[in-house]
Amino acid sequence: MSGYYQPTTQYSSAPIQGSCSLDFFVRFSQEERMMFEDLSEVELSSESPFLVNGFIHNKATVIFGRPKAGKSFVSLSVAHAITTGEDWLGQPTEPRKVALWALDPGQKDEMKVRYDTIEGKPGLLITSVRPDYRPGYADEWWASFTVELLERGVTVLVIDNLTRLLPAGSSTRFDDHVEPILSRLSELIDAGITVILVHHKGKFNEEQGSQKSPMGSTAIESWGRHFVDVTNHDKGLIELRAYGNDTQEFSVFAAFDPTCVGEDGAFLTYLDREDWASEMTMHEDIVNSARKRLAEIRNKGKRTTTAKNTRERNRDTDVAGLILAVVNKSPDGVAKTSLHQEVRADNRRINSALDAMVSNGQLREWKDGRTSMYARAA
């Protein structure tokens, strides 16, 4: 049983007054009420979750990478392979009607030049039109866009890229900016269209992300079923790291030449594959690994607690009293560097205490060359 529940008999949409009565439920036949089924009896789908095994999911795939990594070349390469039904990086494909949505300025011309480079065959569609986000127009625009895709027989849509797809003034950093657009793309998927979304990858710690995930809102990773991380290692070497819900993580390495057809897909020639899946096969190995990880987490927590306790002790320390204890032992004066060494407190708190003690007359300060000296005031 799949899809949405749609009763075959039409009933009044008038609201039911008061509590729900039995009459309300018996209006539906038993067959119409069968929205649930026993999980143990569910028949698994024989359909593969991938259009291109391990790379392109039949629902939603995010291709992401740093600027100039080759994301657009990779997306065009796989779009060409799916359009023609040719193998891609050693994986078979079946011919599908594909459309490219090129949203960067001048990108349609760039795609045309690249497609001519690989002697691309007729059949791959392209558009650069932007959605109409004016109040009251967006729903109609997206409906019209979806209808045209379906009328043209498009079953795969490659969107390059997410940032350009957002309304003007929006940012991929914010969930409330990204989620409405991802919902629109989910509606395309519900209509039977596979979505391949091109996006950027952040720098290390950029927007609190990492170098191994799509830049911006966590809603992007929540939406995607599968991910292909594109890394350009220079000197013609490109890496495609694939991971998601329906496959173990792996990387494929390929020679990348933007000026030629390539032996295993447009611009790409397969070199090697590396699987990142754990080699553990025994239950005991998994349990032992989990115990080790738990110990690491607990030790990290202890270190955090120790650092917190140190900070709290520093706050409670009488820094002025500690400074006076050191100064009293050296009537002729103590260098500032010596105070920092002997007084166990944060350097900023020591400096602040010294300034306050000089201001209130407890200490006198002078220079011995370039060294600040302190002694008890007379």
Side-chain angles (χ1 to χ4, degrees):
M1 182 177 182
S2 61
Y4 295 104
Y5 168 61
Q6 295 178 328
T8 57
T9 307
Q10 298 297 318
Y11 299 103
S12 171
S13 59
I16 299 175
Q17 302 297 322
S19 60
C20 293
S21 65
L22 182 60
D23 291 340
F24 169 73
F25 294 102
V26 300
R27 287 186 300 171
F28 297 95
S29 70
Q30 182 178 2
E31 180 180 354
E32 290 170 333
R33 295 200 306 273
M34 290 294 289
M35 291 183 279
F36 293 90
E37 56 186 317
D38 193 306
L39 179 58
S40 66
E41 298 175 358
V42 172
E43 295 184 7
L44 292 175
S45 171
S46 59
E47 181 184 6
S48 169
F50 291 101
L51 291 185
V52 182
N53 188 38
F55 287 106
I56 304 300
H57 200 277
N58 61 15
K59 299 297 184 184
T61 300
V62 178
I63 297 176
F64 67 99
R66 294 291 297 155
K68 309 301 181 182
K71 304 182 297 296
S72 295
F73 280 98
V74 169
S75 62
L76 177 58
S77 178
V78 74
H80 174 258
I82 296 174
T83 299
T84 59
E86 298 174 357
D87 288 0
W88 193 71
L89 293 177
Q91 301 298 327
T93 70
E94 294 183 3
R96 300 286 185 96
K97 192 68 174 181
V98 183
L100 295 174
W101 199 356
L103 291 163
D104 274 331
Q107 190 175 15
K108 186 159 68 170
D109 290 346
E110 291 178 0
M111 288 294 188
K112 167 62 175 172
V113 172
R114 294 171 184 175
Y115 204 54
D116 288 345
T117 298
I118 60 174
E119 301 177 355
K121 300 175 183 178
L124 179 60
L125 302 179
I126 190 168
T127 183
S128 59
V129 65
R130 283 185 55 80
D132 189 343
Y133 289 116
R134 290 179 298 167
Y137 288 84
D139 289 344
E140 182 179 350
W141 189 94
W142 279 97
S144 176
F145 182 74
T146 304
V147 167
E148 180 169 354
L149 288 173
L150 296 175
E151 287 180 344
R152 289 178 174 270
V154 172
T155 58
V156 180
L157 177 64
V158 181
I159 305 171
D160 192 355
N161 55 64
L162 175 59
T163 300
R164 294 290 183 181
L165 183 59
L166 298 182
S170 299
S171 170
T172 58
R173 292 180 297 171
F174 306 118
D175 287 351
D176 57 344
H177 291 187
V178 173
E179 286 177 345
I181 305 305
L182 296 180
S183 295
R184 299 287 188 182
L185 302 186
S186 293
E187 290 173 0
L188 293 177
I189 294 170
D190 291 339
I193 299 171
T194 295
V195 174
I196 302 173
L197 180 62
V198 179
H199 187 43
H200 299 293
K201 177 167 64 174
K203 298 178 182 177
F204 182 69
N205 281 335
E206 183 174 28
E207 297 164 1
Q208 298 181 348
S210 73
Q211 292 176 310
K212 291 190 175 183
S213 61
M215 181 176 70
S217 166
T218 55
I220 299 168
E221 283 198 289
S222 299
W223 174 84
R225 293 289 303 175
H226 197 68
F227 300 85
V228 178
D229 177 4
V230 181
T231 302
N232 194 323
H233 292 290
D234 299 325
K235 297 185 178 180
L237 177 63
I238 198 169
E239 177 185 354
L240 306 181
R241 181 177 65 94
Y243 65 96
N245 295 346
D246 296 293
T247 186
Q248 297 283 1
E249 182 177 345
F250 68 91
S251 286
V252 162
F253 297 88
F256 170 53
D257 185 349
T259 66
C260 74
V261 175
E263 298 177 17
D264 301 289
F267 318 113
L268 302 172
T269 300
Y270 177 91
L271 297 177
D272 198 8
R273 171 175 171 141
E274 186 169 358
D275 289 281
W276 301 105
S278 171
E279 296 180 356
M280 295 185 303
T281 57
M282 300 296 292
H283 172 69
E284 294 81 359
D285 294 334
I286 297 175
V287 172
N288 290 334
S289 175
R291 284 189 177 131
K292 182 179 179 180
R293 180 60 182 143
L294 177 59
E296 291 173 353
I297 293 172
R298 285 176 171 170
N299 288 334
K300 182 179 179 181
K302 290 178 181 177
R303 289 195 297 270
T304 302
T305 301
T306 300
K308 180 179 178 181
N309 290 341
T310 300
R311 290 194 298 270
E312 290 175 349
R313 285 197 302 269
N314 283 339
R315 283 199 301 268
D316 296 337
T317 300
D318 179 9
V319 178
L322 294 175
I323 291 173
L324 287 176
V326 175
V327 170
N328 286 337
K329 293 187 293 183
S330 302
D332 294 333
V334 182
K336 187 175 186 178
T337 53
S338 297
L339 287 170
H340 279 289
Q341 293 173 357
E342 297 190 42
V343 175
R344 298 181 63 84
D346 182 87
N347 286 344
R348 288 174 297 179
R349 297 190 67 223
I350 294 174
N351 291 338
S352 177
L354 287 171
D355 291 341
M357 294 170 77
V358 170
S359 297
N360 64 26
Q362 285 182 282
L363 298 178
R364 59 188 180 90
E365 178 186 10
W366 72 96
K367 290 286 188 179
D368 184 2
R370 301 178 62 181
T371 301
S372 295
M373 301 292 297
Y374 295 89
R376 290 294 297 265

